[in-house]
Amino acid sequence: MQVELSAGTAEYTDSGGPGPVVVLVHGLLMNGSLWDGPVADLAADHRCVVPTLPLGAHRRPVRADADLSLPGIARLLGEFLARLDLRDVTLVGVDTGGALVQLLMADGVARVSRVVLGSCEAFDNFPPGLTGKTVVTSGKLSPRLFGLFMQQMRLRAVRRLPIAFGRLTKRGDATTAGWVRPILTDAAIRRDAVRMLRAAGADPGFLREPAERLPAFDRPVLVVWASEDRVMPPEHGRRLAALLPKGKLVEVADSYTLLPLDQPAEFARLVREFTTR
């Protein structure tokens, strides 16, 4: 499926159905396939809507004048909710998707009734860890050189390095291999990715001020953190849960940052329990 937004055409999947609406948001250099595992479970009794945002693994290039800063992409996510007229939404984000969700929470987005924050950037943790620093620094390259740099990601051994996806997922390599294909095959996507990474690198403190406004978010929030996370500090999960008036923390074992890849069944169980409570 696709929808026209101010930045251009965005692809998304929608499981349909009458159950609670769950919108699931992916991170940097990822796309909606991050959520395939949890959606396969949740779609039995939820309407699961999964947009692919212009974060570097999208297949439809955006307009040349699109705002590809992370706050700009958060606004695009809010526009997506409005264009599809989604209401009473449970908004779920992990990795940079969780950062985008925090930006919407700070603005008090009305269409959202619950939030799930998986292991994600928070406070001053951007770019996060060796992985984030490497990716954001690579955005300083020209689109052509960035494409050459990303060619290394064709190799599983490179994808498993700490500078790539090695500290983000224990067992999701088949999915991460698909995320690099748009950059490798489409010059327009490479240009989008470089613009997005440069904008992110120019504003590393974009979450600090919104964090001060999170205590005003008075709706239920489930914070789900990987206890073994080496990119997003588990202490940040505890801080977020304590900061939010209706926050609750659950830590998940045997997973790195990308809980939907490493623990899809457990993540789906936690979301279902939260939405049907």
Side-chain angles (χ1 to χ4, degrees), residues 203-266:
D203 187 18
F206 74 101
L207 284 172
R208 292 173 189 156
E209 188 275 333
E212 297 176 1
R213 288 184 278 144
L214 287 181
F217 189 82
D218 61 356
R219 284 152 268 177
V221 180
L222 177 65
V223 180
V224 184
W225 222 266
S227 59
E228 298 178 42
D229 205 317
R230 300 173 67 187
V231 178
M232 314 297 179
E235 170 60 22
H236 283 185
R238 294 187 280 271
R239 282 178 64 189
L240 280 170
L243 191 65
L244 294 156
K246 296 183 180 178
K248 176 186 176 182
L249 174 69
V250 176
E251 293 193 354
V252 175
D254 193 21
S255 178
Y256 289 161
T257 303
L258 299 181
L259 294 146
L261 295 184
D262 287 348
Q263 292 287 354
E266 177 64 5

Side-chain angles (χ1 to χ4, degrees), residues 87-223:
R87 301 172 185 273
D88 195 21
V89 168
T90 298
L91 192 57
V92 183
V94 70
D95 192 78
T96 313
L100 300 178
V101 170
Q102 290 173 62
L103 292 175
L104 290 186
M105 292 168 66
D107 288 337
V109 61
R111 293 176 180 272
V112 175
S113 59
R114 295 179 183 83
V115 165
V116 179
L117 291 174
S119 293
C120 59
E121 289 98 331
F123 309 109
D124 58 354
N125 186 33
F126 191 88
L130 184 59
T131 303
K133 290 175 176 62
T134 301
V135 169
V136 171
T137 299
S138 71
K140 296 179 180 180
L141 300 170
S142 68
R144 184 181 70 83
L145 291 177
F146 177 71
L148 291 173
F149 172 78
M150 292 297 292
Q151 287 287 339
Q152 303 169 82
M153 297 293 180
R154 291 181 182 273
L155 302 175
R156 183 184 186 278
V158 175
R159 292 194 301 274
R160 298 305 303 151
L161 290 174
I163 63 171
F165 297 106
R167 289 184 178 174
L168 291 177
T169 176
K170 290 187 170 188
R171 49 187 74 93
D173 181 67
T175 302
T176 66
W179 292 341
V180 301
R181 290 189 193 114
I183 286 174
L184 299 181
T185 58
D186 191 327
I189 299 300
R190 288 194 288 275
R191 289 192 293 270
D192 286 352
V194 165
R195 283 210 297 131
M196 179 270 299
L197 291 172
R198 289 179 180 176
D203 187 18
F206 74 101
L207 284 172
R208 292 173 189 156
E209 188 275 333
E212 297 176 1
R213 288 184 278 144
L214 287 181
F217 189 82
D218 61 356
R219 284 152 268 177
V221 180
L222 177 65
V223 180

